[in-house]
Coordinates of all heavy atoms in Angstrom, one line a residue:
M529 N 17.4 -5.6 27.4 CA 16.5 -5.2 26.3 C 16.7 -6.1 25.1 O 17.8 -6.4 24.7 CB 16.9 -3.7 25.9 CG 15.9 -3.1 25.0 SD 16.2 -1.3 25.0 CE 16.3 -1.0 23.3
A530 N 15.6 -6.5 24.5 CA 15.6 -7.4 23.4 C 16.1 -6.7 22.1 O 15.8 -5.5 22.0 CB 14.2 -7.9 23.1
A531 N 16.8 -7.4 21.3 CA 17.3 -6.8 20.0 C 16.1 -6.5 19.1 O 15.1 -7.3 19.1 CB 18.2 -7.8 19.3
K532 N 16.2 -5.4 18.3 CA 15.1 -5.1 17.4 C 15.2 -6.0 16.2 O 16.3 -6.2 15.6 CB 15.2 -3.7 16.9 CG 14.8 -2.7 18.0 CD 14.8 -1.3 17.4 CE 14.2 -0.3 18.4 NZ 14.2 1.1 17.9
L533 N 14.1 -6.5 15.7 CA 14.0 -7.3 14.5 C 14.0 -6.4 13.3 O 13.4 -5.3 13.4 CB 12.8 -8.2 14.5 CG 12.7 -9.3 15.6 CD1 11.3 -9.9 15.5 CD2 13.7 -10.4 15.3
P534 N 14.6 -6.9 12.2 CA 14.4 -6.1 11.0 C 13.0 -6.0 10.6 O 12.2 -6.9 10.9 CB 15.2 -6.8 9.9 CG 15.7 -8.1 10.6 CD 15.3 -8.1 12.0
I535 N 12.6 -4.9 9.8 CA 11.2 -4.7 9.4 C 10.6 -5.9 8.7 O 9.4 -6.2 8.9 CB 11.0 -3.4 8.7 CG1 9.5 -3.1 8.6 CG2 11.6 -3.5 7.3 CD1 9.2 -1.6 8.2
S536 N 11.4 -6.6 7.9 CA 10.9 -7.7 7.1 C 10.4 -8.8 8.0 O 9.4 -9.5 7.8 CB 11.9 -8.2 6.1 OG 13.1 -8.6 6.8
E537 N 11.1 -9.0 9.1 CA 10.7 -10.1 10.1 C 9.5 -9.6 10.9 O 8.6 -10.4 11.2 CB 11.9 -10.4 11.0 CG 13.0 -11.2 10.2 CD 14.1 -11.7 11.1 OE1 13.8 -12.0 12.3 OE2 15.2 -11.7 10.7
R538 N 9.5 -8.3 11.2 CA 8.3 -7.8 12.0 C 7.1 -7.9 11.2 O 6.0 -8.3 11.7 CB 8.6 -6.4 12.5 CG 9.5 -6.4 13.7 CD 9.6 -5.0 14.2 NE 10.7 -4.3 13.5 CZ 10.9 -3.0 13.5 NH1 10.1 -2.2 14.1 NH2 11.9 -2.5 12.8
L539 N 7.1 -7.6 9.9 CA 6.0 -7.6 9.0 C 5.5 -9.1 8.8 O 4.4 -9.4 8.7 CB 6.3 -7.0 7.7 CG 6.5 -5.5 7.7 CD1 6.9 -5.0 6.3 CD2 5.2 -4.8 8.1
G540 N 6.5 -10.0 8.9 CA 6.2 -11.4 8.7 C 5.3 -12.0 9.7 O 4.7 -13.1 9.5
V541 N 5.2 -11.4 10.9 CA 4.3 -12.0 11.9 C 2.9 -11.4 11.9 O 2.1 -11.9 12.6 CB 5.0 -11.9 13.3 CG1 6.3 -12.6 13.4 CG2 5.2 -10.4 13.7
D542 N 2.7 -10.4 11.1 CA 1.4 -9.8 11.0 C 0.5 -10.7 10.3 O 0.9 -11.5 9.5 CB 1.4 -8.4 10.3 CG 2.2 -7.4 11.1 OD1 2.2 -7.5 12.4 OD2 2.7 -6.5 10.5
A543 N -0.8 -10.7 10.5 CA -1.8 -11.5 9.9 C -2.7 -10.6 9.0 O -3.0 -9.5 9.3 CB -2.6 -12.2 10.9
Y544 N -3.0 -11.1 7.8 CA -3.8 -10.4 6.9 C -5.1 -11.2 6.5 O -5.0 -12.4 6.2 CB -3.1 -10.1 5.6 CG -1.8 -9.3 5.8 CD1 -0.6 -10.0 6.1 CD2 -1.8 -8.0 5.6 CE1 0.6 -9.2 6.3 CE2 -0.6 -7.2 5.8 CZ 0.5 -7.9 6.2 OH 1.7 -7.2 6.4
T545 N -6.2 -10.6 6.5 CA -7.4 -11.2 6.0 C -7.8 -10.4 4.7 O -8.2 -9.2 4.8 CB -8.6 -11.1 7.0 OG1 -8.1 -11.7 8.2 CG2 -9.8 -11.8 6.5
S546 N -7.5 -11.0 3.6 CA -7.6 -10.3 2.3 C -9.0 -10.4 1.7 O -9.6 -11.4 1.7 CB -6.6 -10.9 1.3 OG -5.3 -10.7 1.8
D547 N -9.5 -9.2 1.3 CA -10.7 -9.1 0.5 C -10.3 -9.3 -1.0 O -9.2 -8.8 -1.4 CB -11.3 -7.7 0.7 CG -12.7 -7.6 0.2 OD1 -13.2 -8.6 -0.5 OD2 -13.4 -6.6 0.5
R548 N -11.1 -9.9 -1.8 CA -10.8 -10.0 -3.2 C -10.8 -8.6 -3.9 O -10.1 -8.3 -4.8 CB -11.7 -11.0 -3.9 CG -11.3 -12.4 -3.9 CD -11.9 -13.2 -5.0 NE -12.7 -14.2 -4.4 CZ -13.6 -14.9 -5.1 NH1 -13.8 -14.6 -6.3 NH2 -14.3 -15.8 -4.5
E549 N -11.7 -7.8 -3.4 CA -11.8 -6.5 -3.9 C -10.9 -5.5 -3.2 O -10.8 -5.5 -2.0 CB -13.3 -6.0 -3.7 CG -13.7 -4.7 -4.3 CD -15.1 -4.4 -4.1 OE1 -16.0 -5.3 -4.0 OE2 -15.4 -3.2 -3.9
S550 N -10.1 -4.8 -4.0 CA -9.1 -3.9 -3.4 C -9.8 -2.6 -2.8 O -10.7 -2.0 -3.3 CB -8.1 -3.4 -4.5 OG -7.2 -2.5 -3.9
H551 N -9.3 -2.3 -1.6 CA -9.7 -1.0 -0.9 C -8.9 0.2 -1.4 O -9.1 1.3 -1.0 CB -9.6 -1.1 0.6 CG -8.3 -1.4 1.1 ND1 -7.6 -2.6 1.0 CD2 -7.4 -0.6 1.7 CE1 -6.4 -2.5 1.5 NE2 -6.3 -1.3 2.0
L552 N -7.9 -0.1 -2.2 CA -7.0 0.9 -2.8 C -7.2 0.9 -4.3 O -7.0 -0.1 -5.0 CB -5.5 0.6 -2.5 CG -5.2 0.3 -1.1 CD1 -3.8 -0.2 -0.9 CD2 -5.3 1.6 -0.2
T553 N -7.7 2.0 -4.8 CA -8.0 2.1 -6.2 C -7.5 3.4 -6.8 O -7.0 4.3 -6.1 CB -9.6 2.0 -6.5 OG1 -10.2 3.1 -5.7 CG2 -10.1 0.7 -6.0
L554 N -7.6 3.5 -8.1 CA -7.1 4.7 -8.8 C -8.2 5.4 -9.5 O -9.1 4.8 -10.1 CB -6.0 4.3 -9.9 CG -4.8 3.6 -9.3 CD1 -4.0 3.0 -10.5 CD2 -4.0 4.5 -8.5
S555 N -8.3 6.7 -9.3 CA -9.3 7.5 -10.0 C -9.1 7.5 -11.5 O -10.1 7.5 -12.3 CB -9.4 8.9 -9.5 OG -8.2 9.6 -9.7
D556 N -7.9 7.4 -11.9 CA -7.5 7.4 -13.4 C -6.1 6.9 -13.5 O -5.2 7.6 -13.2 CB -7.6 8.8 -13.9 CG -7.3 8.9 -15.4 OD1 -7.0 7.8 -16.0 OD2 -7.4 10.0 -16.0
P557 N -6.0 5.6 -14.0 CA -4.6 5.1 -14.1 C -3.7 5.9 -15.0 O -2.5 5.8 -14.8 CB -4.9 3.7 -14.7 CG -6.3 3.4 -14.4 CD -7.0 4.7 -14.3
A558 N -4.2 6.7 -15.9 CA -3.4 7.5 -16.8 C -2.6 8.6 -16.0 O -1.5 9.0 -16.3 CB -4.2 8.2 -17.8
L559 N -3.2 9.0 -14.8 CA -2.5 9.9 -14.0 C -1.2 9.3 -13.5 O -0.2 10.0 -13.3 CB -3.3 10.3 -12.8 CG -4.5 11.2 -13.1 CD1 -5.4 11.3 -11.9 CD2 -4.0 12.6 -13.6
C560 N -1.2 8.0 -13.2 CA 0.1 7.3 -12.7 C 1.1 7.2 -13.9 O 2.3 7.4 -13.6 CB -0.3 5.9 -12.3 SG -1.4 5.9 -10.9
V561 N 0.7 7.1 -15.1 CA 1.6 7.0 -16.2 C 2.4 8.4 -16.3 O 3.6 8.4 -16.5 CB 0.9 6.7 -17.5 CG1 1.9 6.8 -18.7 CG2 0.2 5.4 -17.5
G562 N 1.7 9.4 -16.0 CA 2.3 10.8 -16.1 C 2.9 11.2 -14.7 O 3.4 12.3 -14.7
C563 N 2.9 10.4 -13.7 CA 3.4 10.7 -12.4 C 4.9 10.5 -12.4 O 5.4 9.4 -12.6 CB 2.8 9.9 -11.4 SG 3.3 10.2 -9.7
V564 N 5.7 11.6 -12.3 CA 7.1 11.5 -12.5 C 7.8 10.8 -11.3 O 8.6 9.9 -11.5 CB 7.7 12.9 -12.6 CG1 9.2 12.9 -12.7 CG2 7.2 13.6 -13.9
R565 N 7.4 11.2 -10.1 CA 8.2 10.6 -8.9 C 7.6 9.3 -8.4 O 8.3 8.6 -7.7 CB 8.2 11.7 -7.8 CG 9.0 12.9 -8.1 CD 9.1 13.8 -7.0 NE 8.0 14.8 -7.1 CZ 7.9 15.9 -6.4 NH1 8.9 16.3 -5.6 NH2 6.9 16.7 -6.6
K566 N 6.4 9.0 -8.6 CA 5.7 7.8 -8.2 C 6.0 7.6 -6.7 O 6.6 6.5 -6.3 CB 6.1 6.6 -9.0 CG 5.6 6.7 -10.5 CD 6.0 5.6 -11.3 CE 5.5 5.7 -12.7 NZ 5.5 7.0 -13.4
P567 N 5.7 8.5 -5.8 CA 6.1 8.4 -4.4 C 5.4 7.3 -3.7 O 5.9 6.8 -2.6 CB 5.7 9.8 -3.8 CG 4.7 10.3 -4.7 CD 5.0 9.8 -6.1
C568 N 4.3 6.8 -4.2 CA 3.6 5.7 -3.5 C 4.5 4.5 -3.4 O 4.6 3.8 -2.4 CB 2.3 5.3 -4.2 SG 2.6 4.9 -5.9
I569 N 5.3 4.3 -4.4 CA 6.2 3.1 -4.5 C 7.3 3.3 -3.4 O 7.7 2.4 -2.7 CB 6.8 3.0 -5.9 CG1 5.7 2.6 -6.9 CG2 7.9 1.9 -5.9 CD1 6.2 2.6 -8.3
L570 N 7.8 4.5 -3.2 CA 8.9 4.8 -2.3 C 8.5 4.8 -0.9 O 9.3 4.4 0.0 CB 9.5 6.2 -2.7 CG 10.1 6.3 -4.1 CD1 10.5 7.7 -4.3 CD2 11.2 5.4 -4.2
V571 N 7.3 5.2 -0.5 CA 6.9 5.4 0.9 C 6.4 4.1 1.5 O 6.4 4.0 2.8 CB 6.0 6.6 1.1 CG1 6.5 7.9 0.7 CG2 4.6 6.3 0.5
C572 N 5.9 3.2 0.8 CA 5.2 2.1 1.4 C 6.2 1.0 1.8 O 6.9 0.4 1.0 CB 4.2 1.4 0.4 SG 3.4 0.0 1.1
P573 N 6.2 0.7 3.2 CA 7.2 -0.2 3.7 C 6.8 -1.7 3.3 O 7.6 -2.6 3.4 CB 7.2 0.0 5.2 CG 5.8 0.6 5.4 CD 5.5 1.4 4.2
A574 N 5.5 -1.9 2.9 CA 5.1 -3.2 2.6 C 5.1 -3.5 1.1 O 4.6 -4.6 0.7 CB 3.6 -3.4 3.2
K575 N 5.6 -2.6 0.4 CA 5.8 -2.8 -1.1 C 4.4 -3.1 -1.8 O 4.3 -4.0 -2.6 CB 6.8 -3.8 -1.4 CG 8.2 -3.5 -0.8 CD 9.3 -4.1 -1.5 CE 10.7 -3.9 -0.8 NZ 10.9 -2.5 -0.4
V576 N 3.4 -2.3 -1.4 CA 2.1 -2.5 -2.0 C 2.1 -2.1 -3.4 O 1.4 -2.7 -4.2 CB 1.0 -1.8 -1.2 CG1 -0.3 -1.7 -1.9 CG2 0.8 -2.5 0.2
Y577 N 2.9 -1.1 -3.8 CA 2.9 -0.5 -5.1 C 4.1 -0.9 -5.9 O 5.2 -0.9 -5.4 CB 2.8 1.0 -5.0 CG 1.6 1.5 -4.2 CD1 1.7 1.8 -2.9 CD2 0.4 1.6 -4.8 CE1 0.6 2.1 -2.1 CE2 -0.7 1.9 -4.1 CZ -0.6 2.2 -2.7 OH -1.7 2.6 -2.0
E578 N 3.8 -1.3 -7.1 CA 4.9 -1.8 -8.0 C 4.6 -1.3 -9.4 O 3.5 -1.4 -9.9 CB 4.9 -3.3 -8.0 CG 6.1 -3.9 -8.5 CD 6.1 -5.5 -8.3 OE1 5.1 -6.0 -7.8 OE2 7.1 -6.1 -8.6
W579 N 5.6 -0.8 -10.1 CA 5.5 -0.4 -11.5 C 5.9 -1.6 -12.4 O 7.0 -2.1 -12.4 CB 6.3 0.8 -11.8 CG 6.0 1.5 -13.1 CD1 6.7 1.4 -14.3 CD2 4.8 2.3 -13.4 NE1 6.0 2.1 -15.2 CE2 4.9 2.6 -14.7 CE3 3.7 2.7 -12.6 CZ2 3.9 3.4 -15.3 CZ3 2.8 3.5 -13.1 CH2 2.8 3.8 -14.5
Q580 N 4.9 -2.1 -13.2 CA 5.1 -3.2 -14.0 C 4.6 -3.0 -15.4 O 3.4 -2.7 -15.5 CB 4.4 -4.5 -13.5 CG 5.1 -5.2 -12.3 CD 4.4 -6.4 -11.9 OE1 3.4 -6.9 -12.6 NE2 4.8 -7.0 -10.8
E581 N 5.4 -3.1 -16.4 CA 4.9 -3.0 -17.8 C 4.1 -1.8 -18.1 O 3.0 -1.9 -18.7 CB 4.2 -4.3 -18.2 CG 5.2 -5.5 -18.1 CD 4.5 -6.9 -18.4 OE1 3.3 -6.9 -18.8 OE2 5.1 -7.9 -18.2
G582 N 4.5 -0.7 -17.6 CA 3.9 0.6 -17.9 C 2.6 0.9 -17.1 O 1.8 1.8 -17.5
R583 N 2.4 0.2 -16.0 CA 1.2 0.5 -15.2 C 1.5 0.2 -13.7 O 2.4 -0.6 -13.4 CB 0.0 -0.3 -15.7 CG 0.1 -1.8 -15.4 CD -1.2 -2.5 -15.9 NE -1.2 -3.9 -15.5 CZ -1.8 -4.3 -14.4 NH1 -2.5 -3.5 -13.7 NH2 -1.8 -5.6 -14.1
L584 N 0.7 0.8 -12.9 CA 0.9 0.7 -11.4 C 0.1 -0.6 -11.0 O -1.1 -0.6 -11.2 CB 0.4 1.9 -10.7 CG 0.7 1.9 -9.2 CD1 2.2 2.1 -9.0 CD2 -0.1 3.0 -8.5
V585 N 0.8 -1.5 -10.4 CA 0.1 -2.7 -9.8 C 0.0 -2.5 -8.3 O 1.0 -2.1 -7.6 CB 1.0 -4.0 -10.1 CG1 0.3 -5.2 -9.5 CG2 1.1 -4.1 -11.6
I586 N -1.2 -2.7 -7.8 CA -1.4 -2.5 -6.3 C -1.7 -3.9 -5.7 O -2.6 -4.6 -6.0 CB -2.7 -1.6 -6.1 CG1 -2.4 -0.3 -6.8 CG2 -2.9 -1.4 -4.6 CD1 -3.6 0.7 -6.8
H587 N -0.8 -4.2 -4.8 CA -0.9 -5.5 -4.0 C -1.6 -5.1 -2.7 O -1.0 -5.1 -1.6 CB 0.5 -6.1 -3.7 CG 1.3 -6.3 -5.0 ND1 1.1 -7.3 -5.8 CD2 2.3 -5.6 -5.5 CE1 2.0 -7.3 -6.8 NE2 2.7 -6.3 -6.7
H588 N -2.9 -4.9 -2.8 CA -3.7 -4.4 -1.6 C -3.7 -5.4 -0.5 O -3.8 -5.0 0.7 CB -5.1 -4.1 -2.1 CG -5.9 -5.3 -2.3 ND1 -5.9 -6.0 -3.5 CD2 -6.8 -6.0 -1.5 CE1 -6.7 -7.1 -3.4 NE2 -7.3 -7.1 -2.2
E589 N -3.5 -6.7 -0.8 CA -3.5 -7.7 0.3 C -2.3 -7.5 1.3 O -2.3 -8.1 2.4 CB -3.5 -9.1 -0.3 CG -2.2 -9.5 -1.1 CD -2.2 -8.9 -2.5 OE1 -3.1 -8.2 -2.9 OE2 -1.2 -9.2 -3.2
N590 N -1.3 -6.7 0.9 CA -0.2 -6.5 1.8 C -0.3 -5.2 2.6 O 0.6 -4.9 3.4 CB 1.1 -6.4 1.0 CG 1.5 -7.7 0.3 OD1 1.0 -8.8 0.7 ND2 2.3 -7.7 -0.7
C591 N -1.4 -4.5 2.5 CA -1.5 -3.1 3.0 C -1.5 -3.1 4.5 O -2.2 -3.9 5.2 CB -2.8 -2.5 2.5 SG -3.1 -0.8 3.1
L592 N -0.7 -2.2 5.1 CA -0.6 -2.0 6.5 C -1.5 -0.9 7.1 O -1.5 -0.6 8.2 CB 0.8 -1.7 6.9 CG 1.9 -2.8 6.6 CD1 3.3 -2.2 6.8 CD2 1.6 -4.0 7.4
E593 N -2.3 -0.3 6.2 CA -3.3 0.7 6.5 C -2.7 2.0 7.2 O -3.2 2.5 8.1 CB -4.4 0.1 7.3 CG -5.1 -1.0 6.6 CD -6.0 -1.8 7.5 OE1 -6.6 -1.3 8.4 OE2 -6.1 -3.1 7.3
L594 N -1.5 2.3 6.8 CA -0.8 3.5 7.4 C -1.3 4.8 6.8 O -1.3 5.8 7.4 CB 0.7 3.4 7.1 CG 1.5 2.2 7.5 CD1 2.9 2.2 7.0 CD2 1.4 2.0 9.0
G595 N -1.6 4.8 5.5 CA -2.1 6.0 4.8 C -1.0 6.9 4.3 O -1.3 7.9 3.7
A596 N 0.2 6.5 4.5 CA 1.3 7.3 4.0 C 1.3 7.5 2.4 O 1.6 8.5 1.9 CB 2.7 6.7 4.4
C597 N 0.8 6.4 1.8 CA 0.8 6.5 0.3 C -0.3 7.5 -0.2 O -0.1 8.2 -1.2 CB 0.4 5.1 -0.3 SG -1.1 4.4 0.5
R598 N -1.3 7.6 0.6 CA -2.4 8.6 0.2 C -1.8 10.0 0.3 O -2.0 10.9 -0.6 CB -3.6 8.5 1.1 CG -4.6 9.6 0.9 CD -5.9 9.4 1.7 NE -5.6 9.2 3.1 CZ -6.6 9.0 4.0 NH1 -7.8 9.0 3.6 NH2 -6.3 8.8 5.2
I599 N -1.1 10.3 1.3 CA -0.5 11.7 1.5 C 0.6 11.9 0.4 O 0.6 12.9 -0.2 CB 0.1 11.8 2.9 CG1 -1.0 11.7 3.9 CG2 0.9 13.1 3.0 CD1 -0.6 11.6 5.4
A600 N 1.4 10.9 0.2 CA 2.5 11.0 -0.8 C 1.9 11.2 -2.2 O 2.4 12.1 -2.9 CB 3.4 9.8 -0.8
C601 N 0.9 10.5 -2.5 CA 0.3 10.6 -3.8 C -0.3 12.0 -4.0 O -0.1 12.6 -5.1 CB -0.8 9.5 -4.0 SG -1.7 9.7 -5.6
H602 N -1.0 12.5 -3.0 CA -1.7 13.7 -3.2 C -0.9 15.0 -3.0 O -1.2 16.0 -3.5 CB -3.0 13.8 -2.3 CG -4.1 12.8 -2.8 ND1 -5.1 13.2 -3.7 CD2 -4.2 11.5 -2.7 CE1 -5.8 12.2 -4.0 NE2 -5.3 11.1 -3.4
Q603 N 0.3 14.8 -2.3 CA 1.2 15.9 -2.0 C 2.3 16.0 -3.1 O 2.7 17.0 -3.4 CB 1.8 15.8 -0.6 CG 0.8 16.0 0.5 CD 0.1 17.3 0.6 OE1 0.8 18.3 0.5 NE2 -1.2 17.4 0.8
L604 N 2.8 14.8 -3.5 CA 3.9 14.7 -4.3 C 3.7 14.0 -5.7 O 4.5 14.1 -6.6 CB 5.1 13.9 -3.6 CG 5.5 14.5 -2.3 CD1 6.4 13.5 -1.6 CD2 6.2 15.9 -2.4
G605 N 2.6 13.3 -5.8 CA 2.3 12.6 -7.0 C 1.2 13.3 -7.8 O 1.0 14.5 -7.6
N606 N 0.5 12.6 -8.6 CA -0.6 13.2 -9.4 C -2.0 13.0 -8.8 O -3.0 13.3 -9.5 CB -0.5 12.6 -10.8 CG 0.5 13.3 -11.6 OD1 1.2 14.2 -11.2 ND2 0.8 12.7 -12.8
G607 N -2.1 12.5 -7.6 CA -3.4 12.4 -6.9 C -4.4 11.4 -7.4 O -5.6 11.6 -7.2
A608 N -3.9 10.3 -8.0 CA -4.8 9.3 -8.5 C -5.3 8.3 -7.5 O -6.3 7.7 -7.7 CB -4.0 8.5 -9.6
L609 N -4.6 8.2 -6.4 CA -4.9 7.2 -5.4 C -6.2 7.5 -4.6 O -6.4 8.6 -4.0 CB -3.8 7.0 -4.4 CG -3.9 5.8 -3.4 CD1 -4.0 4.5 -4.2 CD2 -2.7 5.8 -2.5
V610 N -7.1 6.5 -4.6 CA -8.4 6.6 -3.8 C -8.2 5.6 -2.7 O -8.1 4.4 -2.9 CB -9.6 6.3 -4.6 CG1 -10.9 6.4 -3.8 CG2 -9.7 7.2 -5.8
W611 N -8.0 6.1 -1.5 CA -7.6 5.3 -0.3 C -8.8 5.2 0.6 O -9.3 6.1 1.1 CB -6.4 6.0 0.4 CG -5.7 5.1 1.4 CD1 -4.5 4.5 1.2 CD2 -6.1 4.9 2.8 NE1 -4.1 3.8 2.3 CE2 -5.1 4.0 3.3 CE3 -7.1 5.2 3.5 CZ2 -5.1 3.6 4.6 CZ3 -7.2 4.8 4.9 CH2 -6.2 4.0 5.4
E612 N -9.1 3.9 0.9 CA -10.2 3.6 1.9 C -9.7 2.5 2.8 O -8.8 1.7 2.4 CB -11.4 3.2 1.2 CG -12.1 4.3 0.4 CD -13.3 3.8 -0.4 OE1 -13.6 2.6 -0.3 OE2 -14.0 4.6 -0.9
F613 N -10.2 2.4 4.0 CA -9.9 1.3 4.9 C -10.5 0.1 4.3 O -11.6 0.2 3.6 CB -10.4 1.5 6.3 CG -9.6 2.4 7.1 CD1 -10.0 3.7 7.5 CD2 -8.4 1.9 7.6 CE1 -9.2 4.5 8.2 CE2 -7.6 2.8 8.4 CZ -8.0 4.0 8.7
P614 N -10.0 -1.1 4.5 CA -10.6 -2.4 4.1 C -12.0 -2.5 4.8 O -12.3 -1.9 5.8 CB -9.7 -3.5 4.6 CG -8.4 -2.8 4.8 CD -8.7 -1.4 5.2
K615 N -12.9 -3.2 4.1 CA -14.2 -3.5 4.7 C -14.0 -4.2 6.1 O -13.0 -4.8 6.3 CB -15.0 -4.4 3.8 CG -15.6 -3.6 2.6 CD -16.5 -4.5 1.8 CE -15.8 -5.0 0.6 NZ -16.4 -6.0 -0.2
A616 N -15.1 -4.1 6.9 CA -15.0 -4.7 8.3 C -14.7 -6.2 8.1 O -15.3 -6.8 7.3 CB -16.4 -4.4 9.0
G617 N -13.8 -6.6 9.0 CA -13.4 -8.0 9.0 C -12.3 -8.4 8.1 O -11.8 -9.5 8.1
F618 N -11.8 -7.4 7.3 CA -10.7 -7.6 6.4 C -9.5 -6.6 6.8 O -9.7 -5.7 7.6 CB -11.0 -7.3 5.0 CG -12.0 -8.2 4.4 CD1 -13.4 -7.9 4.3 CD2 -11.6 -9.5 4.0 CE1 -14.3 -8.8 3.8 CE2 -12.6 -10.4 3.5 CZ -13.9 -10.1 3.4
G619 N -8.3 -6.9 6.3 CA -7.2 -6.1 6.6 C -6.1 -6.7 7.5 O -6.1 -7.9 7.7
V620 N -5.3 -5.9 8.0 CA -4.1 -6.4 8.8 C -4.4 -6.5 10.3 O -5.2 -5.7 10.8 CB -2.9 -5.4 8.6 CG1 -3.2 -4.0 9.1 CG2 -1.6 -6.0 9.1
S621 N -3.8 -7.5 10.9 CA -3.8 -7.6 12.4 C -2.4 -7.6 12.8 O -1.6 -8.5 12.4 CB -4.5 -8.9 12.8 OG -5.8 -9.0 12.3
F622 N -2.0 -6.5 13.6 CA -0.6 -6.4 14.0 C -0.4 -7.4 15.2 O -1.2 -7.5 16.1 CB -0.3 -5.0 14.4 CG -0.4 -4.1 13.2 CD1 -1.4 -3.2 13.0 CD2 0.7 -4.1 12.3 CE1 -1.5 -2.4 11.9 CE2 0.6 -3.2 11.2 CZ -0.4 -2.4 11.0
R623 N 0.8 -8.0 15.1 CA 1.1 -9.0 16.2 C 2.4 -8.7 16.9 O 2.9 -9.4 17.7 CB 1.2 -10.4 15.6 CG -0.2 -10.9 15.2 CD -0.1 -12.3 14.7 NE -1.4 -12.8 14.5 CZ -1.6 -13.9 13.8 NH1 -0.6 -14.6 13.4 NH2 -2.9 -14.3 13.6
H624 N 3.1 -7.6 16.4 CA 4.5 -7.3 17.0 C 4.6 -5.8 17.1 O 4.4 -5.1 16.2 CB 5.6 -7.8 16.0 CG 6.9 -7.8 16.7 ND1 7.6 -6.6 16.8 CD2 7.7 -8.8 17.2 CE1 8.8 -6.9 17.4 NE2 8.8 -8.2 17.7
G625 N 4.9 -5.4 18.4 CA 5.2 -4.1 18.8 C 4.7 -3.0 17.9 O 4.8 -1.9 17.9
Ligands
SF4_1355 S1 1.8 8.6 -6.4 FE1 -0.4 8.5 -7.0 S2 -0.4 9.3 -9.1 FE2 1.7 8.7 -8.6 S3 2.0 6.6 -9.3 FE3 1.4 6.5 -7.2 S4 -0.9 6.3 -7.1 FE4 -0.2 7.0 -9.2

């Protein structure tokens, strides 16, 4: 049986076709400022969400389209995240298990 690769190496073989326009948006960025737990940052294995200088930065080009952030935001956060799949022809292509 082959050894399991760490997640960083497995993500490294995936291919992304990035749209300039983000498929992940916020209904109101002020909701994120008041979001105590910011669970989107914690649940995303691809580190799409980052808190920088008092605002949520979304690196949509790294999105794995899992949808965990949407559930976390709406169940544990302030519900600001508007989650959609990327437009046809854009997004992630998985290449490893
Ligand atoms: S969990 Fe939702 S409301 Fe909280 S910081 Fe993330 S996107 Fe904003």
Side-chain angles (χ1 to χ4, degrees):
M529 189 166 129
K532 286 187 176 178
L533 291 172
I535 192 163
S536 58
E537 290 185 34
R538 281 184 275 164
L539 292 176
V541 297
D542 293 334
Y544 301 85
T545 305
S546 297
D547 192 350
R548 272 203 242 164
E549 189 179 324
S550 179
H551 61 287
L552 306 169
T553 57
L554 300 170
S555 61
D556 180 359
L559 289 170
C560 299
V561 175
C563 181
V564 176
R565 291 185 271 196
K566 297 180 179 38
C568 58
I569 295 171
L570 299 174
V571 301
C572 179
K575 306 204 182 313
V576 166
Y577 303 95
E578 194 175 7
W579 193 255
Q580 283 183 6
E581 299 176 5
R583 70 182 188 96
L584 189 70
V585 176
I586 302 176
H587 304 285
H588 72 278
E589 66 279 2
N590 296 339
C591 180
L592 298 171
E593 301 168 33
L594 306 176
C597 55
R598 174 174 51 180
I599 295 168
C601 175
H602 289 265
Q603 297 292 318
L604 302 169
N606 280 353
L609 187 61
V610 180
W611 194 100
E612 295 178 350
F613 280 108
K615 284 186 254 171
F618 294 101
V620 65
S621 299
F622 293 105
R623 292 185 173 165
H624 192 281

